[in-house]
Coordinates of all heavy atoms in Angstrom, one line a residue:
Chain I
M965 N 3.7 -4.6 -2.8 CA 2.5 -3.6 -2.3 C 2.5 -3.6 -0.9 O 1.9 -4.4 -0.3 CB 1.3 -4.1 -2.9 CG 1.3 -4.4 -4.4 SD 0.2 -5.7 -5.0 CE 1.0 -6.1 -6.4
P966 N 3.1 -2.8 -0.2 CA 3.1 -2.8 1.3 C 1.8 -2.5 1.8 O 1.4 -1.4 1.6 CB 4.3 -1.8 1.6 CG 4.9 -1.3 0.4 CD 3.9 -1.6 -0.7
E967 N 1.3 -3.5 2.6 CA 0.1 -3.2 3.4 C 0.6 -3.5 4.8 O 1.7 -3.5 5.1 CB -1.0 -4.2 3.0 CG -1.3 -4.2 1.5 CD -2.4 -5.0 1.0 OE1 -3.2 -5.5 1.8 OE2 -2.4 -5.5 -0.2
E970 N 3.3 -6.0 5.7 CA 4.7 -5.6 5.0 C 5.2 -4.5 5.9 O 6.4 -4.5 6.2 CB 4.4 -5.3 3.7 CG 4.2 -6.4 2.7 CD 2.8 -6.9 2.8 OE1 1.8 -6.0 2.9 OE2 2.5 -8.2 2.8
M1041 N 3.5 2.2 -3.3 CA 3.5 1.0 -4.1 C 4.7 0.3 -4.1 O 4.8 -1.0 -4.0 CB 3.0 1.2 -5.6 CG 1.6 1.7 -5.7 SD 0.4 0.4 -5.1 CE 1.0 -0.9 -6.3
R1076 N 8.2 4.0 -8.2 CA 7.0 4.5 -8.7 C 6.5 5.9 -8.0 O 5.6 6.5 -8.4 CB 5.7 3.4 -8.7 CG 5.8 2.5 -9.6 CD 4.7 1.5 -9.5 NE 5.4 0.1 -9.6 CZ 4.6 -1.0 -9.5 NH1 3.2 -0.9 -9.5 NH2 5.2 -2.1 -9.5
K1124 N -16.0 -4.7 0.1 CA -14.6 -4.4 -0.4 C -14.2 -3.1 -0.2 O -13.1 -2.7 0.2 CB -14.4 -5.0 -1.8 CG -13.1 -4.7 -2.5 CD -12.1 -5.6 -1.9 CE -10.6 -5.4 -2.6 NZ -10.6 -5.2 -3.9
L1128 N -11.2 -1.3 2.3 CA -10.0 -0.5 1.8 C -10.0 0.9 2.2 O -9.0 1.7 2.0 CB -10.1 -0.5 0.2 CG -9.7 -1.7 -0.5 CD1 -9.7 -1.7 -2.0 CD2 -8.4 -2.4 0.0
G1137 N -5.0 -3.4 2.6 CA -5.0 -3.1 1.1 C -5.5 -4.1 0.3 O -6.3 -4.9 0.8
N1138 N -5.4 -4.0 -1.0 CA -6.1 -4.9 -2.0 C -6.0 -6.5 -1.5 O -6.9 -7.3 -1.7 CB -5.7 -4.6 -3.4 CG -6.9 -4.9 -4.3 OD1 -8.0 -5.0 -3.9 ND2 -6.5 -5.2 -5.6
I1139 N -4.7 -6.8 -1.4 CA -4.5 -8.2 -1.2 C -5.2 -8.8 0.0 O -5.9 -9.7 0.0 CB -2.9 -8.4 -1.0 CG1 -2.2 -8.1 -2.4 CG2 -2.7 -10.0 -0.8 CD1 -0.7 -8.2 -2.3
Y1140 N -4.9 -8.1 1.2 CA -5.5 -8.8 2.4 C -6.9 -8.4 2.5 O -7.7 -9.3 3.2 CB -4.6 -8.0 3.7 CG -3.2 -8.5 3.6 CD1 -2.2 -7.8 3.1 CD2 -2.9 -9.7 4.2 CE1 -0.9 -8.2 3.1 CE2 -1.6 -10.2 4.3 CZ -0.6 -9.4 3.6 OH 0.7 -9.9 3.7
A1141 N -7.5 -7.4 1.8 CA -8.9 -7.3 1.8 C -9.5 -8.5 1.1 O -10.6 -9.0 1.7 CB -9.2 -5.9 1.2
C1142 N -9.1 -8.8 0.0 CA -9.5 -9.9 -0.7 C -9.4 -11.2 0.0 O -10.4 -12.0 0.1 CB -8.8 -10.1 -2.1 SG -9.1 -8.9 -3.3
E1143 N -8.3 -11.5 0.7 CA -8.1 -12.7 1.5 C -9.0 -12.7 2.7 O -9.5 -13.9 2.9 CB -6.6 -12.7 1.9 CG -5.6 -13.0 0.7 CD -5.9 -14.3 0.0 OE1 -6.0 -15.3 0.6 OE2 -5.9 -14.2 -1.3
A1144 N -9.2 -11.6 3.4 CA -10.1 -11.6 4.5 C -11.6 -11.9 4.1 O -12.2 -12.7 4.9 CB -10.0 -10.2 5.1
L1145 N -12.0 -11.3 2.9 CA -13.4 -11.7 2.5 C -13.5 -13.2 2.2 O -14.6 -13.7 2.4 CB -13.7 -10.6 1.4 CG -14.1 -9.3 1.7 CD1 -14.1 -8.5 0.4 CD2 -15.2 -9.1 2.6
F1146 N -12.5 -13.8 1.6 CA -12.7 -15.2 1.2 C -12.8 -16.0 2.5 O -13.6 -16.9 2.7 CB -11.3 -15.6 0.5 CG -11.3 -17.0 0.2 CD1 -12.0 -17.7 -0.6 CD2 -10.4 -17.7 1.0 CE1 -12.0 -19.0 -0.9 CE2 -10.4 -19.3 0.9 CZ -11.2 -19.8 -0.1
L1147 N -11.8 -15.7 3.4 CA -11.8 -16.5 4.8 C -13.1 -16.2 5.5 O -13.6 -17.3 6.2 CB -10.6 -15.9 5.6 CG -10.2 -16.9 6.8 CD1 -9.8 -18.3 6.2 CD2 -9.0 -16.2 7.5
V1174 N -5.7 -13.0 8.6 CA -4.9 -12.9 7.5 C -3.8 -11.9 7.7 O -2.7 -12.0 7.1 CB -5.6 -12.4 6.1 CG1 -6.7 -13.5 5.7 CG2 -6.4 -10.9 6.4
T1184 N 4.1 -10.2 1.9 CA 3.7 -10.7 0.6 C 4.7 -10.2 -0.4 O 4.6 -8.9 -0.6 CB 2.2 -10.6 0.2 OG1 1.3 -11.1 1.2 CG2 1.9 -11.1 -1.1
S1185 N 5.6 -10.9 -1.0 CA 6.5 -10.3 -2.0 C 6.1 -10.8 -3.5 O 6.5 -11.7 -3.9 CB 8.0 -10.8 -1.7 OG 8.4 -10.3 -0.4
F1186 N 5.3 -9.9 -4.0 CA 4.8 -10.3 -5.4 C 5.9 -9.7 -6.3 O 6.4 -10.4 -7.1 CB 3.6 -9.6 -5.8 CG 2.4 -10.7 -5.7 CD1 1.3 -10.5 -4.9 CD2 2.5 -11.8 -6.5 CE1 0.4 -11.4 -4.9 CE2 1.6 -12.7 -6.4 CZ 0.5 -12.6 -5.6
S1187 N 6.3 -8.5 -6.2 CA 7.1 -7.8 -7.2 C 8.2 -7.1 -6.5 O 9.5 -7.3 -6.5 CB 6.5 -6.9 -8.2 OG 5.6 -6.1 -7.5
N1199 N 4.5 -14.9 2.2 CA 3.1 -14.9 2.3 C 2.3 -15.1 0.9 O 1.3 -15.5 0.8 CB 2.4 -13.7 2.9 CG 1.1 -13.9 3.5 OD1 1.0 -14.8 4.4 ND2 0.1 -13.1 3.1
Q1200 N 3.0 -14.6 -0.2 CA 2.4 -14.9 -1.6 C 2.1 -16.3 -1.8 O 1.4 -16.6 -2.6 CB 3.5 -14.3 -2.6 CG 4.7 -14.9 -2.8 CD 5.7 -14.4 -1.8 OE1 5.4 -13.7 -0.8 NE2 7.0 -14.8 -1.8
N1201 N 2.9 -17.1 -1.1 CA 2.7 -18.6 -1.3 C 1.4 -19.2 -0.7 O 1.1 -20.4 -0.9 CB 3.9 -19.5 -0.9 CG 5.2 -19.0 -1.6 OD1 5.1 -18.6 -2.8 ND2 6.2 -18.9 -0.8
T1202 N 0.8 -18.4 0.1 CA -0.4 -19.0 0.9 C -1.6 -18.3 0.5 O -2.8 -18.6 1.1 CB -0.1 -18.6 2.3 OG1 -0.3 -17.2 2.6 CG2 1.2 -19.2 2.9
L1203 N -1.7 -17.5 -0.5 CA -2.9 -16.7 -0.8 C -3.9 -17.6 -1.4 O -3.7 -18.4 -2.3 CB -2.5 -15.5 -1.7 CG -1.5 -14.4 -1.2 CD1 -1.3 -13.4 -2.3 CD2 -2.0 -13.8 0.1
A1204 N -5.1 -17.4 -0.9 CA -6.2 -18.3 -1.4 C -6.9 -17.7 -2.7 O -7.2 -18.5 -3.5 CB -7.3 -18.3 -0.4
V1205 N -7.0 -16.5 -2.9 CA -7.7 -15.8 -4.0 C -6.8 -14.7 -4.8 O -6.9 -14.7 -6.0 CB -9.1 -15.3 -3.8 CG1 -10.0 -16.4 -3.4 CG2 -8.9 -14.2 -2.5
Y1206 N -6.2 -14.0 -4.1 CA -5.5 -12.8 -4.7 C -4.5 -13.2 -5.8 O -3.6 -14.1 -5.6 CB -4.9 -11.9 -3.7 CG -4.2 -10.6 -4.4 CD1 -5.1 -9.6 -4.5 CD2 -2.8 -10.8 -5.0 CE1 -4.5 -8.5 -5.3 CE2 -2.4 -9.7 -5.7 CZ -3.1 -8.5 -5.8 OH -2.7 -7.3 -6.5
G1207 N -4.7 -12.8 -7.0 CA -3.8 -13.2 -8.1 C -4.0 -14.5 -8.7 O -3.3 -14.9 -9.6
R1208 N -5.1 -15.1 -8.4 CA -5.5 -16.4 -8.9 C -6.6 -16.7 -9.8 O -7.1 -17.6 -9.9 CB -5.6 -17.4 -7.6 CG -4.4 -17.5 -6.7 CD -4.5 -18.6 -5.6 NE -4.5 -19.9 -6.2 CZ -5.5 -20.8 -6.0 NH1 -6.5 -20.5 -5.3 NH2 -5.5 -21.9 -6.8
E1209 N -6.8 -15.6 -10.6 CA -7.9 -15.6 -11.5 C -7.9 -16.8 -12.4 O -6.8 -17.1 -12.9 CB -8.0 -14.3 -12.4 CG -9.2 -14.3 -13.3 CD -9.2 -13.1 -14.3 OE1 -8.1 -12.5 -14.4 OE2 -10.2 -12.9 -14.8
G1210 N -9.1 -17.5 -12.4 CA -9.0 -18.7 -13.3 C -8.5 -20.1 -12.8 O -8.8 -21.1 -13.2
E1211 N -7.9 -20.0 -11.6 CA -7.3 -21.1 -11.0 C -8.5 -21.7 -10.0 O -9.3 -21.0 -9.7 CB -6.1 -20.8 -10.2 CG -4.9 -20.4 -11.1 CD -3.7 -20.0 -10.2 OE1 -3.5 -20.6 -9.2 OE2 -3.1 -19.0 -10.6
P1212 N -8.4 -23.0 -9.7 CA -9.3 -23.6 -8.8 C -9.3 -23.1 -7.3 O -8.2 -23.0 -6.9 CB -9.1 -25.1 -9.1 CG -7.7 -25.3 -9.4 CD -7.4 -24.0 -10.2
C1213 N -10.5 -22.9 -6.7 CA -10.4 -22.6 -5.3 C -10.0 -23.9 -4.6 O -10.3 -25.0 -5.0 CB -11.9 -22.2 -5.1 SG -12.1 -22.1 -3.1
R1214 N -9.1 -23.6 -3.7 CA -8.6 -24.7 -2.9 C -9.6 -25.4 -2.0 O -9.3 -26.5 -1.5 CB -7.4 -24.3 -2.1 CG -6.3 -23.8 -2.9 CD -4.9 -23.6 -2.2 NE -3.9 -23.0 -3.1 CZ -3.4 -21.7 -3.0 NH1 -3.9 -20.9 -2.1 NH2 -2.5 -21.3 -3.9
I1220 N -11.5 -19.1 -9.6 CA -11.5 -17.9 -8.9 C -11.8 -16.9 -9.8 O -11.2 -16.8 -11.1 CB -10.1 -17.7 -8.3 CG1 -9.7 -18.7 -7.2 CG2 -9.9 -16.2 -7.7 CD1 -10.6 -18.9 -6.0
R1221 N -12.6 -15.9 -9.5 CA -13.1 -14.8 -10.4 C -12.3 -13.5 -10.1 O -12.0 -13.2 -9.0 CB -14.6 -14.5 -10.4 CG -15.3 -15.6 -11.2 CD -16.7 -15.1 -11.4 NE -17.5 -16.4 -11.8 CZ -18.8 -16.5 -11.7 NH1 -19.5 -15.5 -10.9 NH2 -19.6 -17.5 -12.0
R1222 N -12.2 -12.6 -11.1 CA -11.8 -11.3 -10.9 C -12.8 -10.2 -11.4 O -13.3 -10.4 -12.5 CB -10.4 -11.1 -11.6 CG -9.8 -9.7 -11.4 CD -8.4 -9.5 -12.1 NE -8.7 -9.3 -13.6 CZ -8.7 -8.0 -14.0 NH1 -8.6 -7.0 -13.3 NH2 -8.8 -7.9 -15.4
V1223 N -13.1 -9.4 -10.5 CA -14.0 -8.2 -11.1 C -13.1 -6.8 -10.5 O -12.2 -6.9 -9.8 CB -15.4 -8.1 -10.3 CG1 -16.1 -9.4 -10.8 CG2 -15.2 -8.3 -8.8
A1227 N -11.8 0.7 -9.5 CA -10.5 0.6 -10.3 C -9.5 -0.3 -9.7 O -8.2 -0.1 -9.9 CB -10.0 2.1 -10.4
R1228 N -9.9 -1.2 -8.8 CA -9.0 -2.2 -8.3 C -9.5 -3.5 -8.6 O -10.7 -3.7 -8.5 CB -8.9 -2.0 -6.7 CG -8.4 -0.6 -6.2 CD -7.0 -0.4 -6.2 NE -6.7 0.9 -5.6 CZ -6.6 2.0 -6.2 NH1 -6.7 2.1 -7.6 NH2 -6.3 3.1 -5.7
S1229 N -8.7 -4.4 -8.8 CA -9.0 -5.8 -9.0 C -9.5 -6.4 -7.8 O -8.8 -6.4 -6.7 CB -7.9 -6.7 -9.6 OG -7.7 -6.3 -10.9
T1230 N -10.6 -7.1 -7.7 CA -11.1 -7.9 -6.6 C -11.1 -9.4 -7.1 O -11.7 -9.7 -8.0 CB -12.5 -7.5 -6.2 OG1 -12.4 -6.2 -5.7 CG2 -12.9 -8.4 -5.1
F1231 N -10.4 -10.3 -6.2 CA -10.4 -11.7 -6.6 C -11.3 -12.4 -5.6 O -11.2 -12.0 -4.3 CB -9.1 -12.2 -6.5 CG -8.1 -11.6 -7.5 CD1 -7.4 -10.5 -7.2 CD2 -7.9 -12.2 -8.8 CE1 -6.5 -9.9 -8.0 CE2 -7.0 -11.7 -9.7 CZ -6.3 -10.5 -9.4
Y1232 N -12.2 -13.3 -6.1 CA -13.0 -14.1 -5.1 C -13.5 -15.3 -5.6 O -13.5 -15.6 -6.8 CB -14.3 -13.1 -4.8 CG -15.3 -13.1 -5.8 CD1 -16.5 -13.8 -5.9 CD2 -15.1 -12.2 -6.9 CE1 -17.4 -13.7 -6.9 CE2 -16.0 -12.2 -8.0 CZ -17.1 -12.9 -8.0 OH -18.1 -12.8 -8.9
C1233 N -14.0 -16.2 -4.6 CA -14.5 -17.5 -5.1 C -16.0 -17.5 -5.1 O -16.7 -17.3 -4.1 CB -14.1 -18.6 -4.2 SG -14.9 -20.1 -4.5
Q1237 N -17.9 -17.7 -1.4 CA -18.2 -16.2 -0.9 C -19.6 -15.8 -1.3 O -20.0 -15.9 -2.4 CB -17.2 -15.2 -1.3 CG -15.8 -15.4 -0.8 CD -14.7 -14.7 -1.4 OE1 -13.9 -14.9 -2.1 NE2 -14.8 -13.4 -1.0
Chain F
dC937 P -5.6 -2.9 -20.0 OP1 -6.7 -3.9 -20.2 OP2 -5.9 -1.4 -19.9 O5' -4.7 -3.3 -18.6 C5' -4.0 -4.5 -18.6 C4' -3.2 -4.4 -17.5 O4' -2.0 -3.6 -17.6 C3' -3.9 -3.9 -16.1 O3' -3.8 -4.9 -15.2 C2' -3.0 -2.8 -15.8 C1' -1.7 -3.0 -16.4 N1 -1.0 -1.7 -16.8 C2 0.4 -1.6 -16.5 O2 1.0 -2.6 -15.9 N3 1.1 -0.5 -16.8 C4 0.5 0.4 -17.5 N4 1.2 1.5 -17.8 C5 -0.9 0.4 -17.8 C6 -1.6 -0.7 -17.5
dA938 P -4.9 -4.9 -14.0 OP1 -5.6 -6.3 -13.8 OP2 -5.8 -3.8 -14.1 O5' -3.9 -4.7 -12.8 C5' -2.8 -5.5 -12.5 C4' -1.9 -4.9 -11.6 O4' -1.1 -4.0 -12.4 C3' -2.6 -3.9 -10.5 O3' -2.9 -4.8 -9.4 C2' -1.5 -2.9 -10.2 C1' -0.6 -2.9 -11.5 N9 -0.6 -1.7 -12.2 C8 -1.8 -1.0 -12.8 N7 -1.5 0.0 -13.4 C5 -0.2 0.0 -13.4 C6 0.8 1.0 -13.9 N6 0.5 2.1 -14.6 N1 2.1 0.8 -13.6 C2 2.4 -0.1 -12.8 N3 1.7 -1.2 -12.3 C4 0.4 -1.0 -12.6
dG939 P -4.2 -4.4 -8.6 OP1 -4.4 -5.7 -7.7 OP2 -5.2 -3.9 -9.3 O5' -3.6 -3.3 -7.7 C5' -2.5 -3.5 -6.8 C4' -2.0 -2.1 -6.4 O4' -1.7 -1.3 -7.5 C3' -3.1 -1.3 -5.6 O3' -2.7 -0.8 -4.5 C2' -3.5 -0.1 -6.6 C1' -2.3 0.0 -7.3 N9 -2.2 0.8 -8.6 C8 -3.4 0.9 -9.3 N7 -3.3 1.7 -10.4 C5 -2.0 2.0 -10.3 C6 -1.1 2.6 -11.2 O6 -1.4 3.2 -12.3 N1 0.3 2.7 -10.8 C2 0.7 2.1 -9.8 N2 2.0 2.1 -9.5 N3 -0.1 1.3 -8.8 C4 -1.4 1.4 -9.2
dG940 P -3.5 -1.0 -3.0 OP1 -2.7 -2.0 -2.4 OP2 -4.9 -0.9 -3.3 O5' -3.1 0.4 -2.4 C5' -1.8 0.6 -1.8 C4' -1.6 1.8 -1.4 O4' -1.4 3.0 -2.3 C3' -2.7 2.5 -0.5 O3' -2.3 3.3 0.6 C2' -3.6 3.3 -1.5 C1' -2.5 3.8 -2.5 N9 -2.9 3.7 -3.9 C8 -3.5 2.9 -4.5 N7 -3.8 3.0 -5.8 C5 -3.1 4.2 -6.0 C6 -3.0 5.0 -7.2 O6 -3.3 4.7 -8.3 N1 -2.2 6.2 -6.9 C2 -1.7 6.6 -5.8 N2 -1.1 7.7 -5.8 N3 -1.9 5.8 -4.6 C4 -2.5 4.7 -4.8

Side-chain angles (χ1 to χ4, degrees):
Chain I
M965 312 150 201
E967 304 178 26
E970 289 73 39
M1041 289 297 301
R1076 285 181 233 181
K1124 175 73 182 316
L1128 291 182
N1138 208 26
I1139 296 174
Y1140 294 94
C1142 289
E1143 294 296 311
L1145 286 172
F1146 172 79
L1147 196 57
V1174 298
T1184 301
S1185 295
F1186 258 125
S1187 49
N1199 202 58
Q1200 63 281 5
N1201 303 322
T1202 72
L1203 299 179
V1205 288
Y1206 185 85
R1208 299 192 63 235
E1209 182 183 13
E1211 294 177 41
C1213 170
R1214 297 193 183 110
I1220 302 300
R1221 284 196 194 148
R1222 183 179 77 94
V1223 292
R1228 307 278 185 265
S1229 289
T1230 295
F1231 297 88
Y1232 72 101
C1233 170
Q1237 295 177 252

